[in-house]
mmCIF file of all heavy atoms in Angstrom:
data_model
loop_
_atom_site.group_PDB
_atom_site.id
_atom_site.type_symbol
_atom_site.label_atom_id
_atom_site.label_comp_id
_atom_site.label_asym_id
_atom_site.label_seq_id
_atom_site.Cartn_x
_atom_site.Cartn_y
_atom_site.Cartn_z
ATOM 1 N N ASP A 1 16.514 76.796 134.635
ATOM 2 C CA ASP A 1 17.448 77.817 134.175
ATOM 3 C C ASP A 1 17.083 79.132 134.855
ATOM 4 O O ASP A 1 15.907 79.391 135.113
ATOM 5 C CB ASP A 1 17.365 77.982 132.652
ATOM 6 C CG ASP A 1 18.277 77.020 131.913
ATOM 7 O OD1 ASP A 1 19.338 76.658 132.468
ATOM 8 O OD2 ASP A 1 17.931 76.638 130.782
ATOM 9 N N PRO A 2 18.060 79.963 135.138
ATOM 10 C CA PRO A 2 17.764 81.227 135.811
ATOM 11 C C PRO A 2 17.150 82.247 134.860
ATOM 12 O O PRO A 2 17.193 82.091 133.640
ATOM 13 C CB PRO A 2 19.143 81.704 136.273
ATOM 14 C CG PRO A 2 20.085 81.106 135.281
ATOM 15 C CD PRO A 2 19.483 79.780 134.900
ATOM 16 N N VAL A 3 16.593 83.275 135.461
ATOM 17 C CA VAL A 3 16.112 84.413 134.688
ATOM 18 C C VAL A 3 17.322 85.034 134.004
ATOM 19 O O VAL A 3 18.422 85.077 134.585
ATOM 20 C CB VAL A 3 15.423 85.438 135.616
ATOM 21 C CG1 VAL A 3 15.000 86.681 134.865
ATOM 22 C CG2 VAL A 3 14.251 84.797 136.330
ATOM 23 N N ARG A 4 17.151 85.500 132.789
ATOM 24 C CA ARG A 4 18.258 86.082 132.022
ATOM 25 C C ARG A 4 19.062 87.072 132.863
ATOM 26 O O ARG A 4 18.505 87.932 133.532
ATOM 27 C CB ARG A 4 17.728 86.785 130.789
ATOM 28 C CG ARG A 4 18.817 87.303 129.863
ATOM 29 C CD ARG A 4 18.220 87.937 128.646
ATOM 30 N NE ARG A 4 17.418 86.945 127.952
ATOM 31 C CZ ARG A 4 17.606 86.593 126.684
ATOM 32 N NH1 ARG A 4 18.521 87.178 125.976
ATOM 33 N NH2 ARG A 4 16.849 85.681 126.132
ATOM 34 N N GLY A 5 20.372 86.895 132.831
ATOM 35 C CA GLY A 5 21.263 87.802 133.541
ATOM 36 C C GLY A 5 21.551 87.396 134.983
ATOM 37 O O GLY A 5 22.411 87.974 135.622
ATOM 38 N N GLN A 6 20.815 86.405 135.495
ATOM 39 C CA GLN A 6 21.030 85.938 136.858
ATOM 40 C C GLN A 6 21.971 84.725 136.835
ATOM 41 O O GLN A 6 22.009 83.980 135.868
ATOM 42 C CB GLN A 6 19.697 85.535 137.499
ATOM 43 C CG GLN A 6 18.716 86.672 137.622
ATOM 44 C CD GLN A 6 19.231 87.771 138.544
ATOM 45 O OE1 GLN A 6 19.708 87.504 139.626
ATOM 46 N NE2 GLN A 6 19.139 89.008 138.088
ATOM 47 N N PRO A 7 22.714 84.505 137.918
ATOM 48 C CA PRO A 7 23.598 83.337 137.963
ATOM 49 C C PRO A 7 22.791 82.051 138.139
ATOM 50 O O PRO A 7 21.658 82.077 138.622
ATOM 51 C CB PRO A 7 24.466 83.599 139.193
ATOM 52 C CG PRO A 7 23.632 84.482 140.064
ATOM 53 C CD PRO A 7 22.810 85.324 139.120
ATOM 54 N N HIS A 8 23.360 80.946 137.735
ATOM 55 C CA HIS A 8 22.753 79.634 137.940
ATOM 56 C C HIS A 8 23.395 79.012 139.167
ATOM 57 O O HIS A 8 24.589 79.203 139.422
ATOM 58 C CB HIS A 8 22.967 78.745 136.707
ATOM 59 C CG HIS A 8 22.134 77.514 136.727
ATOM 60 N ND1 HIS A 8 22.506 76.380 137.402
ATOM 61 C CD2 HIS A 8 20.935 77.247 136.153
ATOM 62 C CE1 HIS A 8 21.573 75.454 137.248
ATOM 63 N NE2 HIS A 8 20.614 75.959 136.479
ATOM 64 N N VAL A 9 22.625 78.259 139.933
ATOM 65 C CA VAL A 9 23.141 77.648 141.152
ATOM 66 C C VAL A 9 24.350 76.754 140.870
ATOM 67 O O VAL A 9 25.283 76.686 141.670
ATOM 68 C CB VAL A 9 22.030 76.882 141.908
ATOM 69 C CG1 VAL A 9 21.541 75.687 141.108
ATOM 70 C CG2 VAL A 9 22.507 76.457 143.282
ATOM 71 N N LEU A 10 24.387 76.074 139.722
ATOM 72 C CA LEU A 10 25.543 75.227 139.408
ATOM 73 C C LEU A 10 26.789 76.064 139.125
ATOM 74 O O LEU A 10 27.906 75.639 139.429
ATOM 75 C CB LEU A 10 25.223 74.298 138.239
ATOM 76 C CG LEU A 10 24.100 73.278 138.488
ATOM 77 C CD1 LEU A 10 23.916 72.382 137.268
ATOM 78 C CD2 LEU A 10 24.346 72.452 139.743
ATOM 79 N N ASP A 11 26.603 77.254 138.565
ATOM 80 C CA ASP A 11 27.744 78.159 138.381
ATOM 81 C C ASP A 11 28.285 78.605 139.732
ATOM 82 O O ASP A 11 29.504 78.669 139.933
ATOM 83 C CB ASP A 11 27.337 79.388 137.553
ATOM 84 C CG ASP A 11 26.952 79.039 136.130
ATOM 85 O OD1 ASP A 11 27.436 78.011 135.608
ATOM 86 O OD2 ASP A 11 26.149 79.788 135.547
ATOM 87 N N ASP A 12 27.380 78.905 140.665
ATOM 88 C CA ASP A 12 27.814 79.296 142.009
ATOM 89 C C ASP A 12 28.585 78.159 142.675
ATOM 90 O O ASP A 12 29.614 78.381 143.316
ATOM 91 C CB ASP A 12 26.616 79.679 142.875
ATOM 92 C CG ASP A 12 26.009 81.016 142.486
ATOM 93 O OD1 ASP A 12 26.623 81.730 141.662
ATOM 94 O OD2 ASP A 12 24.934 81.345 143.000
ATOM 95 N N TRP A 13 28.107 76.926 142.526
ATOM 96 C CA TRP A 13 28.784 75.765 143.109
ATOM 97 C C TRP A 13 30.163 75.619 142.474
ATOM 98 O O TRP A 13 31.172 75.458 143.159
ATOM 99 C CB TRP A 13 27.928 74.530 142.880
ATOM 100 C CG TRP A 13 28.454 73.231 143.436
ATOM 101 C CD1 TRP A 13 29.604 73.033 144.153
ATOM 102 C CD2 TRP A 13 27.843 71.958 143.323
ATOM 103 N NE1 TRP A 13 29.735 71.706 144.479
ATOM 104 C CE2 TRP A 13 28.663 71.029 143.987
ATOM 105 C CE3 TRP A 13 26.674 71.508 142.716
ATOM 106 C CZ2 TRP A 13 28.349 69.673 144.053
ATOM 107 C CZ3 TRP A 13 26.367 70.161 142.794
ATOM 108 C CH2 TRP A 13 27.184 69.259 143.459
ATOM 109 N N HIS A 14 30.219 75.696 141.149
ATOM 110 C CA HIS A 14 31.492 75.559 140.430
ATOM 111 C C HIS A 14 32.509 76.620 140.863
ATOM 112 O O HIS A 14 33.689 76.331 141.029
ATOM 113 C CB HIS A 14 31.241 75.642 138.922
ATOM 114 C CG HIS A 14 32.486 75.612 138.116
ATOM 115 N ND1 HIS A 14 33.166 74.446 137.842
ATOM 116 C CD2 HIS A 14 33.196 76.613 137.537
ATOM 117 C CE1 HIS A 14 34.250 74.730 137.133
ATOM 118 N NE2 HIS A 14 34.287 76.034 136.923
ATOM 119 N N ASN A 15 32.042 77.839 141.043
ATOM 120 C CA ASN A 15 32.936 78.946 141.395
ATOM 121 C C ASN A 15 33.169 79.090 142.902
ATOM 122 O O ASN A 15 33.891 79.990 143.325
ATOM 123 C CB ASN A 15 32.364 80.264 140.852
ATOM 124 C CG ASN A 15 32.317 80.279 139.342
ATOM 125 O OD1 ASN A 15 33.216 79.770 138.680
ATOM 126 N ND2 ASN A 15 31.252 80.829 138.788
ATOM 127 N N GLY A 16 32.545 78.212 143.701
ATOM 128 C CA GLY A 16 32.720 78.284 145.143
ATOM 129 C C GLY A 16 32.036 79.484 145.775
ATOM 130 O O GLY A 16 32.374 79.883 146.883
ATOM 131 N N ARG A 17 31.083 80.053 145.062
ATOM 132 C CA ARG A 17 30.363 81.228 145.555
ATOM 133 C C ARG A 17 29.287 80.786 146.546
ATOM 134 O O ARG A 17 28.427 79.972 146.221
ATOM 135 C CB ARG A 17 29.719 81.963 144.381
ATOM 136 C CG ARG A 17 29.127 83.306 144.741
ATOM 137 C CD ARG A 17 28.598 84.060 143.516
ATOM 138 N NE ARG A 17 29.597 84.153 142.464
ATOM 139 C CZ ARG A 17 29.438 83.641 141.236
ATOM 140 N NH1 ARG A 17 28.358 83.008 140.887
ATOM 141 N NH2 ARG A 17 30.393 83.774 140.341
ATOM 142 N N ASN A 18 29.333 81.300 147.761
ATOM 143 C CA ASN A 18 28.375 80.935 148.797
ATOM 144 C C ASN A 18 27.144 81.826 148.683
ATOM 145 O O ASN A 18 26.936 82.727 149.477
ATOM 146 C CB ASN A 18 29.016 81.048 150.184
ATOM 147 C CG ASN A 18 28.167 80.416 151.255
ATOM 148 O OD1 ASN A 18 27.266 79.651 150.965
ATOM 149 N ND2 ASN A 18 28.449 80.741 152.488
ATOM 150 N N SER A 19 26.307 81.532 147.705
ATOM 151 C CA SER A 19 25.137 82.360 147.413
ATOM 152 C C SER A 19 23.886 81.795 148.085
ATOM 153 O O SER A 19 23.875 80.664 148.580
ATOM 154 C CB SER A 19 24.909 82.408 145.904
ATOM 155 O OG SER A 19 24.540 81.115 145.440
ATOM 156 N N GLU A 20 22.833 82.580 148.072
ATOM 157 C CA GLU A 20 21.541 82.103 148.573
ATOM 158 C C GLU A 20 21.056 80.918 147.742
ATOM 159 O O GLU A 20 20.499 79.958 148.279
ATOM 160 C CB GLU A 20 20.511 83.238 148.554
ATOM 161 C CG GLU A 20 19.133 82.829 149.036
ATOM 162 C CD GLU A 20 19.075 82.385 150.498
ATOM 163 O OE1 GLU A 20 20.025 82.666 151.268
ATOM 164 O OE2 GLU A 20 18.083 81.743 150.886
ATOM 165 N N LEU A 21 21.276 80.953 146.430
ATOM 166 C CA LEU A 21 20.889 79.837 145.572
ATOM 167 C C LEU A 21 21.570 78.550 146.022
ATOM 168 O O LEU A 21 20.948 77.490 146.102
ATOM 169 C CB LEU A 21 21.281 80.122 144.117
ATOM 170 C CG LEU A 21 20.541 81.225 143.388
ATOM 171 C CD1 LEU A 21 21.205 81.506 142.046
ATOM 172 C CD2 LEU A 21 19.088 80.853 143.210
ATOM 173 N N ARG A 22 22.852 78.633 146.309
ATOM 174 C CA ARG A 22 23.606 77.452 146.724
ATOM 175 C C ARG A 22 23.145 76.962 148.099
ATOM 176 O O ARG A 22 23.061 75.762 148.336
ATOM 177 C CB ARG A 22 25.100 77.781 146.731
ATOM 178 C CG ARG A 22 25.955 76.557 146.859
ATOM 179 C CD ARG A 22 27.393 76.889 146.599
ATOM 180 N NE ARG A 22 28.231 75.759 146.931
ATOM 181 C CZ ARG A 22 29.514 75.832 147.126
ATOM 182 N NH1 ARG A 22 30.139 76.988 147.005
ATOM 183 N NH2 ARG A 22 30.209 74.761 147.427
ATOM 184 N N ARG A 23 22.842 77.860 149.008
ATOM 185 C CA ARG A 23 22.341 77.458 150.326
ATOM 186 C C ARG A 23 20.992 76.742 150.200
ATOM 187 O O ARG A 23 20.737 75.748 150.876
ATOM 188 C CB ARG A 23 22.230 78.670 151.249
ATOM 189 C CG ARG A 23 23.582 79.156 151.751
ATOM 190 C CD ARG A 23 23.429 80.224 152.819
ATOM 191 N NE ARG A 23 22.962 81.495 152.294
ATOM 192 C CZ ARG A 23 23.749 82.415 151.735
ATOM 193 N NH1 ARG A 23 25.044 82.213 151.641
ATOM 194 N NH2 ARG A 23 23.236 83.535 151.277
ATOM 195 N N VAL A 24 20.128 77.238 149.328
ATOM 196 C CA VAL A 24 18.828 76.609 149.111
ATOM 197 C C VAL A 24 19.012 75.217 148.501
ATOM 198 O O VAL A 24 18.348 74.254 148.910
ATOM 199 C CB VAL A 24 17.922 77.496 148.232
ATOM 200 C CG1 VAL A 24 16.693 76.749 147.761
ATOM 201 C CG2 VAL A 24 17.516 78.750 149.002
ATOM 202 N N LEU A 25 19.925 75.064 147.550
ATOM 203 C CA LEU A 25 20.221 73.752 146.976
ATOM 204 C C LEU A 25 20.704 72.794 148.063
ATOM 205 O O LEU A 25 20.269 71.649 148.136
ATOM 206 C CB LEU A 25 21.272 73.865 145.868
ATOM 207 C CG LEU A 25 21.757 72.538 145.279
ATOM 208 C CD1 LEU A 25 20.620 71.760 144.633
ATOM 209 C CD2 LEU A 25 22.879 72.786 144.282
ATOM 210 N N TYR A 26 21.575 73.263 148.936
ATOM 211 C CA TYR A 26 22.082 72.425 150.018
ATOM 212 C C TYR A 26 20.951 71.970 150.944
ATOM 213 O O TYR A 26 20.870 70.793 151.301
ATOM 214 C CB TYR A 26 23.150 73.160 150.836
ATOM 215 C CG TYR A 26 23.555 72.373 152.054
ATOM 216 C CD1 TYR A 26 24.461 71.330 151.939
ATOM 217 C CD2 TYR A 26 22.994 72.637 153.298
ATOM 218 C CE1 TYR A 26 24.813 70.569 153.049
ATOM 219 C CE2 TYR A 26 23.331 71.887 154.410
ATOM 220 C CZ TYR A 26 24.243 70.854 154.282
ATOM 221 O OH TYR A 26 24.577 70.105 155.380
ATOM 222 N N VAL A 27 20.086 72.883 151.325
ATOM 223 C CA VAL A 27 18.970 72.530 152.215
ATOM 224 C C VAL A 27 18.113 71.445 151.560
ATOM 225 O O VAL A 27 17.783 70.437 152.189
ATOM 226 C CB VAL A 27 18.111 73.759 152.581
ATOM 227 C CG1 VAL A 27 16.813 73.340 153.268
ATOM 228 C CG2 VAL A 27 18.891 74.706 153.475
ATOM 229 N N GLY A 28 17.773 71.623 150.300
ATOM 230 C CA GLY A 28 16.948 70.628 149.606
ATOM 231 C C GLY A 28 17.642 69.292 149.455
ATOM 232 O O GLY A 28 17.070 68.240 149.755
ATOM 233 N N ALA A 29 18.894 69.311 149.022
ATOM 234 C CA ALA A 29 19.630 68.069 148.790
ATOM 235 C C ALA A 29 19.901 67.313 150.084
ATOM 236 O O ALA A 29 19.888 66.080 150.108
ATOM 237 C CB ALA A 29 20.941 68.371 148.068
ATOM 238 N N SER A 30 20.123 68.026 151.152
ATOM 239 C CA SER A 30 20.471 67.372 152.414
ATOM 240 C C SER A 30 19.255 66.790 153.139
ATOM 241 O O SER A 30 19.401 66.162 154.181
ATOM 242 C CB SER A 30 21.211 68.345 153.329
ATOM 243 O OG SER A 30 20.381 69.423 153.695
ATOM 244 N N ARG A 31 18.059 66.956 152.585
ATOM 245 C CA ARG A 31 16.856 66.356 153.178
ATOM 246 C C ARG A 31 16.705 64.896 152.793
ATOM 247 O O ARG A 31 15.941 64.160 153.396
ATOM 248 C CB ARG A 31 15.577 67.084 152.737
ATOM 249 C CG ARG A 31 15.505 68.568 153.019
ATOM 250 C CD ARG A 31 15.668 68.943 154.454
ATOM 251 N NE ARG A 31 17.069 69.279 154.673
ATOM 252 C CZ ARG A 31 17.666 69.386 155.860
ATOM 253 N NH1 ARG A 31 17.011 69.176 156.958
ATOM 254 N NH2 ARG A 31 18.930 69.690 155.973
ATOM 255 N N ALA A 32 17.420 64.431 151.756
ATOM 256 C CA ALA A 32 17.269 63.069 151.234
ATOM 257 C C ALA A 32 18.093 62.075 152.052
ATOM 258 O O ALA A 32 19.290 62.242 152.215
ATOM 259 C CB ALA A 32 17.709 63.021 149.775
ATOM 260 N N ARG A 33 17.416 61.021 152.560
ATOM 261 C CA ARG A 33 18.116 59.966 153.294
ATOM 262 C C ARG A 33 18.658 58.892 152.355
ATOM 263 O O ARG A 33 19.730 58.353 152.594
ATOM 264 C CB ARG A 33 17.180 59.303 154.305
ATOM 265 C CG ARG A 33 16.900 60.155 155.514
ATOM 266 C CD ARG A 33 16.135 59.369 156.564
ATOM 267 N NE ARG A 33 14.760 59.134 156.160
ATOM 268 C CZ ARG A 33 13.700 59.637 156.770
ATOM 269 N NH1 ARG A 33 13.853 60.408 157.828
ATOM 270 N NH2 ARG A 33 12.495 59.373 156.338
ATOM 271 N N LYS A 34 17.894 58.536 151.297
ATOM 272 C CA LYS A 34 18.287 57.423 150.433
ATOM 273 C C LYS A 34 18.508 57.835 148.984
ATOM 274 O O LYS A 34 19.462 57.412 148.355
ATOM 275 C CB LYS A 34 17.232 56.317 150.476
ATOM 276 C CG LYS A 34 17.087 55.678 151.845
ATOM 277 C CD LYS A 34 16.002 54.623 151.831
ATOM 278 C CE LYS A 34 15.825 54.022 153.220
ATOM 279 N NZ LYS A 34 14.737 53.039 153.231
ATOM 280 N N VAL A 35 17.585 58.629 148.441
ATOM 281 C CA VAL A 35 17.628 58.961 147.016
ATOM 282 C C VAL A 35 17.398 60.453 146.828
ATOM 283 O O VAL A 35 16.469 61.014 147.403
ATOM 284 C CB VAL A 35 16.535 58.180 146.238
ATOM 285 C CG1 VAL A 35 16.508 58.604 144.779
ATOM 286 C CG2 VAL A 35 16.743 56.691 146.357
ATOM 287 N N LEU A 36 18.251 61.056 146.016
ATOM 288 C CA LEU A 36 18.075 62.450 145.611
ATOM 289 C C LEU A 36 18.009 62.469 144.091
ATOM 290 O O LEU A 36 18.911 61.970 143.420
ATOM 291 C CB LEU A 36 19.239 63.318 146.088
ATOM 292 C CG LEU A 36 19.276 64.748 145.550
ATOM 293 C CD1 LEU A 36 18.065 65.533 146.045
ATOM 294 C CD2 LEU A 36 20.571 65.437 145.952
ATOM 295 N N ILE A 37 16.940 63.017 143.567
ATOM 296 C CA ILE A 37 16.773 63.147 142.124
ATOM 297 C C ILE A 37 16.835 64.629 141.792
ATOM 298 O O ILE A 37 16.054 65.424 142.322
ATOM 299 C CB ILE A 37 15.437 62.551 141.639
ATOM 300 C CG1 ILE A 37 15.394 61.063 141.967
ATOM 301 C CG2 ILE A 37 15.224 62.820 140.150
ATOM 302 C CD1 ILE A 37 14.036 60.427 141.764
ATOM 303 N N LEU A 38 17.782 65.001 140.940
ATOM 304 C CA LEU A 38 17.900 66.382 140.481
ATOM 305 C C LEU A 38 17.395 66.453 139.050
ATOM 306 O O LEU A 38 17.902 65.757 138.177
ATOM 307 C CB LEU A 38 19.359 66.852 140.542
ATOM 308 C CG LEU A 38 19.990 66.912 141.925
ATOM 309 C CD1 LEU A 38 21.461 67.268 141.821
ATOM 310 C CD2 LEU A 38 19.269 67.912 142.801
#
């Protein structure tokens, strides 16, 4: 969960906001070849 008052990466994804949080999530998720566990 984010620090109080900060956006959550899933909110950014839902709203289509291209934030640093969302870019970091993409980098991490795109490293998985077979299995991604969130």
Side-chain angles (χ1 to χ4, degrees):
D1 273 330
V3 176
R4 186 178 301 237
Q6 298 297 313
H8 192 277
V9 66
L10 297 182
D11 295 334
D12 287 351
W13 181 2
H14 176 79
N15 296 322
R17 189 175 308 119
N18 192 16
S19 67
E20 179 63 16
L21 292 171
R22 192 169 171 198
R23 285 188 288 277
V24 168
L25 175 61
Y26 173 80
V27 169
S30 64
R31 303 303 95 195
R33 286 188 288 246
K34 296 178 182 178
V35 176
L36 171 64
I37 299 170
L38 296 175

